[in-house]
Amino acid sequence: MSGQKNGILLIEHKPNQNENNHTFYETGNFEVNCICPIVDRNNGISNFFLVGGFDSDIGEGQIKLFTFKQKNKIEEGYSSIEFLQNIELEFNSKFQGFEMPITGLHQSSVDGKLLVTSLNNVYLLSKPNLDFYLNE
Protein backbone atom coordinates (compact mmCIF):
# COMPACT_ATOMS: atom_id res chain seq x y z
CA MET A 1 0.00 0.00 0.00
CA SER A 2 1.16 3.52 -0.67
CA GLY A 3 2.82 5.07 2.37
CA GLN A 4 3.13 1.72 4.16
CA LYS A 5 6.53 0.83 5.64
CA ASN A 6 8.10 -2.57 5.07
CA GLY A 7 10.23 -4.11 7.75
CA ILE A 8 10.82 -6.41 10.69
CA LEU A 9 9.40 -5.76 14.14
CA LEU A 10 11.79 -6.97 16.84
CA ILE A 11 10.11 -7.38 20.23
CA GLU A 12 12.19 -8.04 23.31
CA HIS A 13 9.91 -9.86 25.74
CA LYS A 14 10.70 -9.19 29.38
CA PRO A 15 9.09 -11.80 31.64
CA ASN A 16 7.64 -10.46 34.88
CA GLN A 17 7.55 -6.92 33.51
CA ASN A 18 4.63 -4.99 32.09
CA GLU A 19 6.60 -3.50 29.20
CA ASN A 20 8.40 -5.02 26.24
CA ASN A 21 11.01 -3.21 24.18
CA HIS A 22 10.36 -3.11 20.45
CA THR A 23 12.18 -1.77 17.42
CA PHE A 24 11.04 -1.59 13.81
CA TYR A 25 13.75 -2.21 11.19
CA GLU A 26 12.76 -0.82 7.82
CA THR A 27 13.56 -2.91 4.76
CA GLY A 28 12.80 -0.30 2.10
CA ASN A 29 11.03 -1.78 -0.91
CA PHE A 30 11.52 -5.34 0.36
CA GLU A 31 8.15 -6.68 1.57
CA VAL A 32 8.77 -9.19 4.39
CA ASN A 33 6.51 -12.26 4.33
CA CYS A 34 8.30 -14.88 6.44
CA ILE A 35 11.23 -15.49 8.77
CA CYS A 36 13.20 -18.70 9.41
CA PRO A 37 15.83 -19.12 12.14
CA ILE A 38 18.93 -20.98 10.96
CA VAL A 39 19.83 -24.08 12.93
CA ASP A 40 23.39 -25.41 12.81
CA ARG A 41 23.14 -29.16 13.42
CA ASN A 42 26.54 -29.10 15.17
CA ASN A 43 26.00 -26.05 17.37
CA GLY A 44 22.21 -25.70 17.70
CA ILE A 45 20.33 -22.48 16.96
CA SER A 46 22.54 -19.75 15.56
CA ASN A 47 22.25 -15.96 15.63
CA PHE A 48 21.34 -16.01 11.93
CA PHE A 49 17.93 -16.01 10.28
CA LEU A 50 16.52 -15.85 6.76
CA VAL A 51 13.81 -13.47 5.65
CA GLY A 52 11.68 -14.20 2.59
CA GLY A 53 9.58 -11.73 0.68
CA PHE A 54 9.29 -9.62 -2.43
CA ASP A 55 11.45 -6.78 -3.71
CA SER A 56 9.11 -4.40 -5.50
CA ASP A 57 12.04 -2.48 -7.08
CA ILE A 58 13.19 -5.47 -9.12
CA GLY A 59 9.86 -7.31 -9.19
CA GLU A 60 10.95 -10.68 -7.80
CA GLY A 61 10.95 -12.78 -4.67
CA GLN A 62 14.10 -12.74 -2.59
CA ILE A 63 15.65 -14.32 0.48
CA LYS A 64 17.88 -12.21 2.73
CA LEU A 65 20.27 -13.20 5.52
CA PHE A 66 20.21 -11.31 8.82
CA THR A 67 21.90 -11.76 12.19
CA PHE A 68 21.06 -10.80 15.76
CA LYS A 69 23.55 -8.45 17.36
CA GLN A 70 24.11 -9.11 21.06
CA LYS A 71 24.22 -6.48 23.74
CA ASN A 72 27.40 -6.07 25.76
CA LYS A 73 26.33 -8.63 28.37
CA ILE A 74 25.12 -12.02 27.16
CA GLU A 75 22.44 -12.25 29.85
CA GLU A 76 20.85 -9.05 28.50
CA GLY A 77 19.87 -10.73 25.21
CA TYR A 78 19.88 -9.08 21.79
CA SER A 79 19.65 -5.41 21.00
CA SER A 80 19.33 -5.27 17.22
CA ILE A 81 19.44 -7.10 13.93
CA GLU A 82 21.76 -6.54 10.99
CA PHE A 83 21.26 -7.28 7.29
CA LEU A 84 24.17 -9.35 5.96
CA GLN A 85 23.42 -10.22 2.34
CA ASN A 86 20.92 -11.28 -0.29
CA ILE A 87 20.95 -15.03 -0.84
CA GLU A 88 22.38 -15.63 -4.29
CA LEU A 89 21.19 -18.71 -6.17
CA GLU A 90 22.57 -20.24 -9.34
CA PHE A 91 20.37 -19.74 -12.37
CA ASN A 92 20.00 -22.58 -14.88
CA SER A 93 17.47 -23.85 -17.39
CA LYS A 94 15.17 -25.00 -14.57
CA PHE A 95 15.56 -22.02 -12.22
CA GLN A 96 15.48 -18.40 -13.36
CA GLY A 97 14.80 -16.81 -9.98
CA PHE A 98 11.71 -16.37 -7.85
CA GLU A 99 9.05 -14.77 -10.03
CA MET A 100 6.61 -14.40 -7.15
CA PRO A 101 6.90 -13.40 -3.48
CA ILE A 102 8.51 -15.88 -1.09
CA THR A 103 5.73 -16.87 1.31
CA GLY A 104 7.36 -19.56 3.44
CA LEU A 105 10.78 -20.77 4.61
CA HIS A 106 11.41 -23.94 6.61
CA GLN A 107 14.71 -25.62 7.47
CA SER A 108 14.74 -29.41 7.68
CA SER A 109 15.82 -30.77 11.07
CA VAL A 110 17.21 -33.86 9.32
CA ASP A 111 19.64 -32.46 6.75
CA GLY A 112 19.45 -28.67 7.08
CA LYS A 113 18.01 -28.14 3.60
CA LEU A 114 15.54 -25.31 3.04
CA LEU A 115 11.99 -25.72 1.81
CA VAL A 116 10.97 -22.46 0.13
CA THR A 117 7.45 -21.69 -1.01
CA SER A 118 6.30 -18.88 -3.25
CA LEU A 119 2.88 -18.01 -4.61
CA ASN A 120 3.47 -20.22 -7.63
CA ASN A 121 6.02 -22.91 -6.70
CA VAL A 122 7.84 -24.95 -4.07
CA TYR A 123 11.65 -25.18 -4.04
CA LEU A 124 14.14 -27.36 -2.18
CA LEU A 125 17.47 -25.60 -1.57
CA SER A 126 20.73 -26.81 -0.07
CA LYS A 127 21.46 -26.05 3.57
CA PRO A 128 22.77 -22.54 4.27
CA ASN A 129 26.55 -22.20 4.26
CA LEU A 130 27.46 -19.73 6.99
CA ASP A 131 31.19 -20.56 7.11
CA PHE A 132 32.22 -17.07 6.02
CA TYR A 133 30.31 -15.45 8.89
CA LEU A 134 31.17 -18.11 11.48
CA ASN A 135 34.89 -17.78 10.74
CA GLU A 136 34.81 -13.99 10.92
Side-chain angles (χ1 to χ4, degrees):
M1 294 174 57
S2 179
Q4 176 181 333
K5 293 181 180 179
N6 296 311
I8 299 169
L9 179 62
L10 181 63
I11 299 174
E12 183 179 4
H13 175 64
K14 296 183 175 185
N16 304 322
Q17 294 184 12
N18 291 334
E19 292 185 21
N20 294 319
N21 292 337
H22 64 279
T23 308
F24 185 74
Y25 294 90
E26 288 191 45
T27 56
N29 289 323
F30 180 70
E31 303 166 6
V32 175
N33 291 328
C34 55
I35 295 175
C36 177
I38 301 298
V39 177
D40 181 341
R41 292 184 70 209
N42 299 325
N43 302 318
I45 294 177
S46 70
N47 291 342
F48 301 96
F49 61 99
L50 296 172
V51 176
F54 188 77
D55 189 317
S56 59
D57 279 347
I58 59 175
E60 67 181 34
Q62 286 193 328
I63 302 171
K64 297 177 180 283
L65 178 65
F66 285 81
T67 187
F68 288 104
K69 302 303 281 183
Q70 284 188 324
K71 293 181 181 179
N72 292 331
K73 295 180 182 178
I74 292 176
E75 64 272 8
E76 291 183 12
Y78 300 100
S79 59
S80 65
I81 59 175
E82 178 184 354
F83 168 74
L84 296 175
Q85 72 176 64
N86 288 330
I87 300 301
E88 309 259 338
L89 301 171
E90 289 185 34
F91 292 169
N92 57 41
S93 61
K94 294 182 181 179
F95 179 75
Q96 295 295 313
F98 300 112
E99 297 173 0
M100 302 294 281
I102 302 300
T103 56
L105 293 167
H106 179 78
Q107 185 180 24
S108 168
S109 60
V110 175
D111 58 11
K113 291 183 179 179
L114 294 173
L115 181 66
V116 179
T117 58
S118 71
L119 290 177
N120 67 338
N121 218 333
V122 177
Y123 305 89
L124 182 62
L125 306 179
S126 62
K127 70 178 185 175
N129 181 353
L130 301 174
D131 292 344
F132 173 79
Y133 295 105
L134 295 173
N135 294 330
E136 216 177 54

